[in-house]
PDB file of all heavy atoms in Angstrom:
ATOM      1  N   LEU A  73      10.346  32.126 -22.707  1.00 95.00           N
ATOM      2  CA  LEU A  73       9.039  31.866 -22.023  1.00 95.00           C
ATOM      3  C   LEU A  73       8.808  30.356 -21.933  1.00 95.00           C
ATOM      4  O   LEU A  73       7.884  29.935 -21.263  1.00 95.00           O
ATOM      5  CB  LEU A  73       7.936  32.493 -22.839  1.00 95.00           C
ATOM      6  CG  LEU A  73       7.326  33.861 -22.362  1.00 95.00           C
ATOM      7  CD1 LEU A  73       6.320  34.454 -23.348  1.00 95.00           C
ATOM      8  CD2 LEU A  73       6.798  33.883 -20.970  1.00 95.00           C
ATOM      9  N   GLU A  74       9.443  29.662 -22.682  1.00 96.00           N
ATOM     10  CA  GLU A  74       9.176  28.185 -22.716  1.00 96.00           C
ATOM     11  C   GLU A  74       9.415  27.553 -21.417  1.00 96.00           C
ATOM     12  O   GLU A  74       8.551  26.672 -20.917  1.00 96.00           O
ATOM     13  CB  GLU A  74      10.139  27.437 -23.702  1.00 96.00           C
ATOM     14  CG  GLU A  74       9.890  25.936 -23.807  1.00 96.00           C
ATOM     15  CD  GLU A  74      10.851  25.340 -24.836  1.00 96.00           C
ATOM     16  OE1 GLU A  74      12.083  25.373 -24.517  1.00 96.00           O
ATOM     17  OE2 GLU A  74      10.358  24.571 -25.700  1.00 96.00           O
ATOM     18  N   GLU A  75      10.460  27.890 -20.653  1.00 93.00           N
ATOM     19  CA  GLU A  75      10.702  27.446 -19.220  1.00 93.00           C
ATOM     20  C   GLU A  75       9.471  27.748 -18.372  1.00 93.00           C
ATOM     21  O   GLU A  75       9.141  26.971 -17.532  1.00 93.00           O
ATOM     22  CB  GLU A  75      11.933  28.036 -18.630  1.00 93.00           C
ATOM     23  CG  GLU A  75      13.167  27.504 -19.281  1.00 93.00           C
ATOM     24  CD  GLU A  75      13.235  26.002 -19.368  1.00 93.00           C
ATOM     25  OE1 GLU A  75      13.041  25.361 -18.267  1.00 93.00           O
ATOM     26  OE2 GLU A  75      13.499  25.348 -20.380  1.00 93.00           O
ATOM     27  N   ASP A  76       8.850  28.877 -18.477  1.00 94.00           N
ATOM     28  CA  ASP A  76       7.649  29.210 -17.674  1.00 94.00           C
ATOM     29  C   ASP A  76       6.429  28.332 -18.193  1.00 94.00           C
ATOM     30  O   ASP A  76       5.674  27.855 -17.277  1.00 94.00           O
ATOM     31  CB  ASP A  76       7.252  30.739 -17.868  1.00 94.00           C
ATOM     32  CG  ASP A  76       8.464  31.647 -17.404  1.00 94.00           C
ATOM     33  OD1 ASP A  76       8.528  31.740 -16.191  1.00 94.00           O
ATOM     34  OD2 ASP A  76       9.174  32.174 -18.169  1.00 94.00           O
ATOM     35  N   ALA A  77       6.228  28.270 -19.493  1.00 95.00           N
ATOM     36  CA  ALA A  77       5.260  27.500 -20.036  1.00 95.00           C
ATOM     37  C   ALA A  77       5.375  25.829 -19.595  1.00 95.00           C
ATOM     38  O   ALA A  77       4.318  25.350 -19.317  1.00 95.00           O
ATOM     39  CB  ALA A  77       5.251  27.446 -21.473  1.00 95.00           C
ATOM     40  N   LYS A  78       6.451  25.378 -19.400  1.00 93.00           N
ATOM     41  CA  LYS A  78       6.577  24.019 -19.018  1.00 93.00           C
ATOM     42  C   LYS A  78       6.027  23.719 -17.662  1.00 93.00           C
ATOM     43  O   LYS A  78       5.979  22.570 -17.269  1.00 93.00           O
ATOM     44  CB  LYS A  78       8.027  23.634 -19.121  1.00 93.00           C
ATOM     45  CG  LYS A  78       8.539  23.381 -20.460  1.00 93.00           C
ATOM     46  CD  LYS A  78       9.994  22.865 -20.472  1.00 93.00           C
ATOM     47  CE  LYS A  78      10.472  22.638 -21.978  1.00 93.00           C
ATOM     48  NZ  LYS A  78      11.894  22.324 -21.960  1.00 93.00           N
ATOM     49  N   ARG A  79       5.781  24.729 -16.868  1.00 92.00           N
ATOM     50  CA  ARG A  79       5.137  24.569 -15.535  1.00 92.00           C
ATOM     51  C   ARG A  79       3.681  24.146 -15.722  1.00 92.00           C
ATOM     52  O   ARG A  79       3.133  23.659 -14.663  1.00 92.00           O
ATOM     53  CB  ARG A  79       5.236  25.841 -14.667  1.00 92.00           C
ATOM     54  CG  ARG A  79       6.717  26.263 -14.325  1.00 92.00           C
ATOM     55  CD  ARG A  79       6.587  27.243 -13.154  1.00 92.00           C
ATOM     56  NE  ARG A  79       5.680  28.247 -13.357  1.00 92.00           N
ATOM     57  CZ  ARG A  79       6.053  29.550 -13.871  1.00 92.00           C
ATOM     58  NH1 ARG A  79       7.362  29.718 -14.181  1.00 92.00           N
ATOM     59  NH2 ARG A  79       5.176  30.375 -14.048  1.00 92.00           N
ATOM     60  N   ILE A  80       3.197  24.232 -16.793  1.00 94.00           N
ATOM     61  CA  ILE A  80       1.746  23.790 -17.076  1.00 94.00           C
ATOM     62  C   ILE A  80       1.787  22.329 -17.228  1.00 94.00           C
ATOM     63  O   ILE A  80       2.150  21.717 -18.248  1.00 94.00           O
ATOM     64  CB  ILE A  80       1.251  24.574 -18.311  1.00 94.00           C
ATOM     65  CG1 ILE A  80       1.224  26.038 -18.154  1.00 94.00           C
ATOM     66  CG2 ILE A  80      -0.195  23.926 -18.639  1.00 94.00           C
ATOM     67  CD1 ILE A  80       0.785  26.807 -19.350  1.00 94.00           C
ATOM     68  N   LYS A  81       1.227  21.648 -16.249  1.00 94.00           N
ATOM     69  CA  LYS A  81       1.382  20.079 -16.195  1.00 94.00           C
ATOM     70  C   LYS A  81       0.059  19.522 -16.560  1.00 94.00           C
ATOM     71  O   LYS A  81       0.080  18.347 -17.197  1.00 94.00           O
ATOM     72  CB  LYS A  81       1.614  19.676 -14.746  1.00 94.00           C
ATOM     73  CG  LYS A  81       2.959  20.214 -14.097  1.00 94.00           C
ATOM     74  CD  LYS A  81       4.296  19.696 -14.930  1.00 94.00           C
ATOM     75  CE  LYS A  81       5.507  20.141 -14.232  1.00 94.00           C
ATOM     76  NZ  LYS A  81       6.651  19.696 -14.981  1.00 94.00           N
ATOM     77  N   THR A  82      -1.055  20.112 -16.344  1.00 95.00           N
ATOM     78  CA  THR A  82      -2.358  19.571 -16.693  1.00 95.00           C
ATOM     79  C   THR A  82      -3.285  20.538 -17.419  1.00 95.00           C
ATOM     80  O   THR A  82      -2.841  21.717 -17.436  1.00 95.00           O
ATOM     81  CB  THR A  82      -3.120  19.026 -15.523  1.00 95.00           C
ATOM     82  OG1 THR A  82      -3.585  20.182 -14.665  1.00 95.00           O
ATOM     83  CG2 THR A  82      -2.222  18.118 -14.566  1.00 95.00           C
ATOM     84  N   CYS A  83      -4.432  20.169 -17.941  1.00 95.00           N
ATOM     85  CA  CYS A  83      -5.236  21.225 -18.459  1.00 95.00           C
ATOM     86  C   CYS A  83      -5.783  22.135 -17.492  1.00 95.00           C
ATOM     87  O   CYS A  83      -6.116  23.366 -17.809  1.00 95.00           O
ATOM     88  CB  CYS A  83      -6.431  20.361 -19.166  1.00 95.00           C
ATOM     89  SG  CYS A  83      -6.001  19.480 -20.703  1.00 95.00           S
ATOM     90  N   GLU A  84      -5.904  21.656 -16.240  1.00 94.00           N
ATOM     91  CA  GLU A  84      -6.284  22.692 -15.194  1.00 94.00           C
ATOM     92  C   GLU A  84      -5.412  23.758 -14.937  1.00 94.00           C
ATOM     93  O   GLU A  84      -5.635  24.829 -14.440  1.00 94.00           O
ATOM     94  CB  GLU A  84      -6.597  21.851 -13.869  1.00 94.00           C
ATOM     95  CG  GLU A  84      -7.879  20.898 -13.891  1.00 94.00           C
ATOM     96  CD  GLU A  84      -7.664  19.695 -14.836  1.00 94.00           C
ATOM     97  OE1 GLU A  84      -6.501  19.224 -14.924  1.00 94.00           O
ATOM     98  OE2 GLU A  84      -8.769  19.232 -15.242  1.00 94.00           O
TER      99      GLU A  84
END
Side-chain angles (χ1 to χ4, degrees):
L73 265 175
E74 183 182 56
E75 289 304 310
D76 300 283
K78 285 181 177 179
R79 296 200 307 267
I80 298 173
K81 302 296 185 182
T82 69
C83 288
E84 289 71 27

